[in-house]
């Protein structure tokens, strides 16, 4: 953890925080931003800051997790995922623009796009009809797009989950994040509504078995390792919760920090804003050109519009 004050002028300065992901996930970054803001406001007014005591520390959670996650609990989680992923293809054959390097370099870039504002409510309405969340609708649409691009009838998509299943951890700074895998299977006569029902079932099952660390699952399944690809899945889908996002995350695309990295071949981020749905794709520049990613963004929007108007096709 490193903090640096950047002086722009006698009256203006910025605070730069550099934090390794191993000690802070996105939820924790929101907490840090909120607490630093509260502390600074108190300091600027000459007041004593009021930060409530935490009921537990991260070490308490770590001890609890170690003691709880073993024996029968561990075996039930492992059994679910082994059955869920049995026979699944471990490589998504997306057509690439470049020859994939022998070893993944994690070099990447991002592409920002906006979905039509009028699209949000029909997609939410479809979700309500099927007792599905907006996440489920959008993830099913992404899986359908990947199916159309690859002609594969079995698609694996990773998605992060907060891991904060106990109220005591909600105000705790640390990395609780885990990743679960959602599997979607396709057939010639499958409608989108049927796909959404399938994705809903898979998502609920994944949420109920989300305590197994992904690293542990990879170790247990022991897939043949390919240093050019992420094991088990190569694409990820993320929906940002509009109710859990502070001003630190509400940064427009032109001011967004470019890290020049990509952890996967593709990661699709969707955010619900006052103007509808905003998307961003983080992609591997070892595999894709920018024009291909822009085309994927356009196709995803076109597909979602068709889904909203004709979910039974």
């Amino acid at each position: 953890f490193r903090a640096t004050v950047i002086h722009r002028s006698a009256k203006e300065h910025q605070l730069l925080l550099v934090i390794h992901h191993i000690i802070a996930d996105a939820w924790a970054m929101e907490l840090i931003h909120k607490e630093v803001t509260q502390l600074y406001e108190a300091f600027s007014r000459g007041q004593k800051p009021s930060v409530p005591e935490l009921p537990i520390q991260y070490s308490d959670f770590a001890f609890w997790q170690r003691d709880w996650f073993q024996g029968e609990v561990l075996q039930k989680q492992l059994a679910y995922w082994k059955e869920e992923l049995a026979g699944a293809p471990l490589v998504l054959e997306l057509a690439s623009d470049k020859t994939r390097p022998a070893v993944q370099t994690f070099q990447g870039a991002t592409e920002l796009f906006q979905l039509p504002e009028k699209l949000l409510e029909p997609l939410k309405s479809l979700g309500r009809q099927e007792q599905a969340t907006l996440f489920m609708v959008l993830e099913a649409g992404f899986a359908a797009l990947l199916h159309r691009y690859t002609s594969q009838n079995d698609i694996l998509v990773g998605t992060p989950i907060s891991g904060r299943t106990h109220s005591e951890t909600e105000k705790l700074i640390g990395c609780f994040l885990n990743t679960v895998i959602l599997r979607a299977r396709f057939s010639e006569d499958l409608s989108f509504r049927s796909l959404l029902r399938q994705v809903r079932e898979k998502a609920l099952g994944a949420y109920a078995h989300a305590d197994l660390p992904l690293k542990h699952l990879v170790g247990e399944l022991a897939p043949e390792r390919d240093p050019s690809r992420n094991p088990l899945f190569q694409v990820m889908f993320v929906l940002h919760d509009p109710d859990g996002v502070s001003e630190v995350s509400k940064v427009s695309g032109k001011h967004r920090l470019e890290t020049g990295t990509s952890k996967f071949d593709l990661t699709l981020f969707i955010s619900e804003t006052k103007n509808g749905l905003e998307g961003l794709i983080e992609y591997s520049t070892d595999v894709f050109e920018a024009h291909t990613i822009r085309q994927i963004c356009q196709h995803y929007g076109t597909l979602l519009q068709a889904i909203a108007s004709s979910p039974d096709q």
Side-chain angles (χ1 to χ4, degrees):
F1 188 109
R2 186 171 73 249
T4 305
V5 177
I6 303 174
H7 294 278
R8 289 190 160 190
S9 67
K11 294 184 178 180
E12 183 182 359
H13 61 271
Q14 291 181 335
L15 179 65
L16 175 65
L17 296 178
V18 181
I19 301 173
H20 197 291
H21 201 343
I22 200 171
I23 63 168
D25 51 26
W27 187 307
M29 289 302 297
E30 300 293 341
L31 293 174
I32 292 171
H33 177 260
K34 182 178 179 180
E35 290 188 8
V36 168
T37 300
Q38 290 174 339
L39 292 170
Y40 181 79
E41 288 178 350
F43 169 78
S44 64
R45 294 169 182 162
Q47 300 173 348
K48 183 177 180 180
S50 176
V51 180
E53 289 291 326
L54 293 169
I56 64 171
Q57 294 293 325
Y58 192 84
S59 58
D60 299 314
F61 168 78
F63 282 123
W64 170 83
Q65 185 185 55
R66 185 189 63 184
D67 291 342
W68 175 79
F69 201 63
Q70 56 186 327
E72 184 180 355
V73 173
L74 174 61
Q75 292 309 312
K76 287 178 96 172
Q77 295 257 340
L78 276 173
Y80 171 83
W81 286 110
K82 285 181 177 180
E83 181 179 356
E84 177 60 25
L85 299 177
L90 302 184
V91 173
L92 185 67
E93 299 289 358
L94 276 168
S96 60
D97 297 313
K98 307 175 184 179
T99 301
R100 184 183 291 270
V103 178
Q104 195 174 5
T105 71
F106 302 101
Q107 296 179 15
T110 59
E111 182 71 31
L112 188 72
F113 64 100
Q114 186 75 40
L115 293 168
E117 185 176 354
K118 62 182 181 181
L119 188 57
L120 179 57
E121 187 49 42
L123 292 177
K124 284 187 172 183
S125 176
L126 174 60
R128 288 191 292 269
Q129 292 171 29
E130 298 300 330
Q131 296 182 307
T133 63
L134 180 63
F135 167 86
M136 296 170 186
V137 176
L138 294 171
E139 196 280 331
F142 186 44
L145 183 71
L146 295 172
H147 161 66
R148 294 297 297 273
Y149 263 87
T150 63
S151 296
Q152 290 180 226
N153 292 328
D154 202 343
I155 303 289
L156 297 183
V157 175
T159 192
I161 195 162
S162 73
R164 296 172 186 261
T165 55
H166 300 274
S167 59
E168 294 88 349
T169 63
E170 290 183 358
K171 301 296 182 182
L172 196 60
I173 292 171
C175 188
F176 295 83
L177 196 68
N178 193 23
T179 300
V180 296
I181 303 173
L182 301 180
R183 186 176 186 178
R185 300 190 188 192
F186 295 82
S187 59
E188 289 186 7
D189 60 347
L190 186 73
S191 69
F192 182 80
R193 193 182 295 275
S194 297
L195 173 64
L196 178 56
R197 292 169 182 169
Q198 180 191 147
V199 166
R200 177 183 181 275
E201 179 184 352
K202 296 295 184 182
L204 292 176
Y207 299 157
H209 300 85
D211 293 314
L212 182 69
L214 179 64
K215 182 179 179 181
H216 196 122
L217 177 61
V218 172
E220 284 290 328
L221 295 180
E224 184 177 349
R225 299 303 290 266
D226 178 354
S228 71
R229 288 180 168 90
N230 190 69
L232 301 185
F233 64 93
Q234 292 82 50
V235 297
M236 201 166 203
F237 177 81
V238 183
L239 176 65
H240 287 140
D241 179 5
D243 297 325
V245 179
S246 74
E247 293 302 319
V248 72
S249 297
K250 296 176 181 176
V251 182
S252 66
K254 65 180 179 180
H255 296 301
R256 188 179 186 276
L257 178 65
E258 277 286 357
T259 64
T261 63
S262 179
K263 295 179 283 297
F264 305 97
D265 285 0
L266 291 176
T267 301
L268 172 60
F269 298 89
I270 299 291
S271 299
E272 184 180 342
T273 72
K274 62 181 180 180
N275 298 318
L277 295 171
E278 186 178 85
L280 182 142
I281 289 186
E282 181 183 270
Y283 64 96
S284 169
T285 51
D286 287 332
V287 180
F288 300 108
E289 297 282 4
H291 66 83
T292 297
I293 301 303
R294 286 193 288 270
Q295 187 178 59
I296 291 175
C297 297
Q298 293 170 0
H299 287 173
Y300 183 58
T302 300
L303 181 57
L304 289 179
Q305 290 181 72
I307 285 167
S309 61
S310 306
D312 294 304
Q313 289 191 8

